[in-house]
Amino acid sequence: MSEPTGRNEFGSMKTPQARVKGLGAAHHGVEHWYLHRLSAIANIPLVTSFVIIVASLAGRSWPDAIRIVSNPFVAILLSLLMISVTFHMRIGLQTVVEDYVHDHMLKFAAGIANTFFAFGIAAVCLFSILKISFGRVPLPPL
C-alpha cells in the first residue's frame, strides 16, 4: 500500500474545480499579472512620446508650449499616457499592499486609498490636458 501524497488520481494537488477554473492559490489567476505587463508594454511608446514632446518644448515660450499641448494628437497621447501610467501605478501598488500588509482592515483601507489616489491623479491630469486642449487657458497675443 502506498503512502498518501496529497495528490489526486491525475497527479495534481489541485481540486477538479480549481483545474477547470485555472485559478492559482490566490484564486484570481493571472489576470492581475497580465494587466500589469500589458500596461507596462503600453507605457513604452507613450512615455517615449512624452519625452519627445517635453524635449520639443525646451526653450519655447509659454504660448508656444500651450499651442503644442493643445494639438489634438498631442492631447490624445498625453491623455492615454496619464490613463496608462495611473492604471499601472494602481496595479503595482495593489501588489505591494497585498504582499506586505497583513492586517485585513489595513489592507482593505490601503486598497481603497490606492484606488482613490490613482483615480484622483488621473482626474487632475486629464482635466488639465482637456482644459489646455479645448483652449480654456488664455494665451497672450503673438
Side-chain angles (χ1 to χ4, degrees):
M1 187 162 140
S2 65
E3 285 187 33
T5 60
R7 297 181 184 275
N8 60 21
E9 65 259 339
F10 301 110
S12 172
M13 293 183 71
K14 290 183 179 181
T15 64
Q17 184 178 10
R19 278 197 317 278
V20 170
K21 288 184 177 179
L23 302 177
H27 305 291
H28 60 75
V30 298
E31 178 183 5
H32 192 266
W33 178 88
Y34 179 75
L35 288 174
H36 199 237
R37 297 315 180 269
L38 188 65
S39 64
I41 292 169
N43 285 342
I44 294 170
L46 293 171
V47 169
T48 303
S49 65
F50 176 74
V51 169
I52 292 169
I53 292 166
V54 169
S56 72
L57 294 176
R60 297 211 183 207
S61 66
W62 173 257
D64 286 342
I66 295 295
R67 284 184 184 91
I68 288 172
V69 174
S70 65
N71 180 320
F73 181 70
V74 173
I76 289 171
L77 277 176
L78 292 176
S79 298
L80 289 174
L81 171 72
M82 289 303 112
I83 291 168
S84 181
V85 165
T86 54
F87 179 73
H88 184 79
M89 175 188 69
R90 182 184 163 274
I91 292 175
L93 191 55
Q94 180 182 350
T95 301
V96 172
V97 167
E98 288 172 355
D99 288 346
Y100 296 107
V101 178
H102 301 294
D103 181 65
H104 181 68
M105 288 307 293
L106 190 56
K107 185 183 290 191
F108 181 73
I112 290 174
N114 178 34
T115 299
F116 279 113
F117 179 72
F119 282 127
I121 295 294
V124 169
C125 291
L126 290 174
F127 174 77
S128 301
I129 293 167
L130 290 174
K131 187 170 182 172
I132 291 171
S133 67
F134 287 131
R136 301 293 297 170
V137 175
L139 291 174
L142 290 174

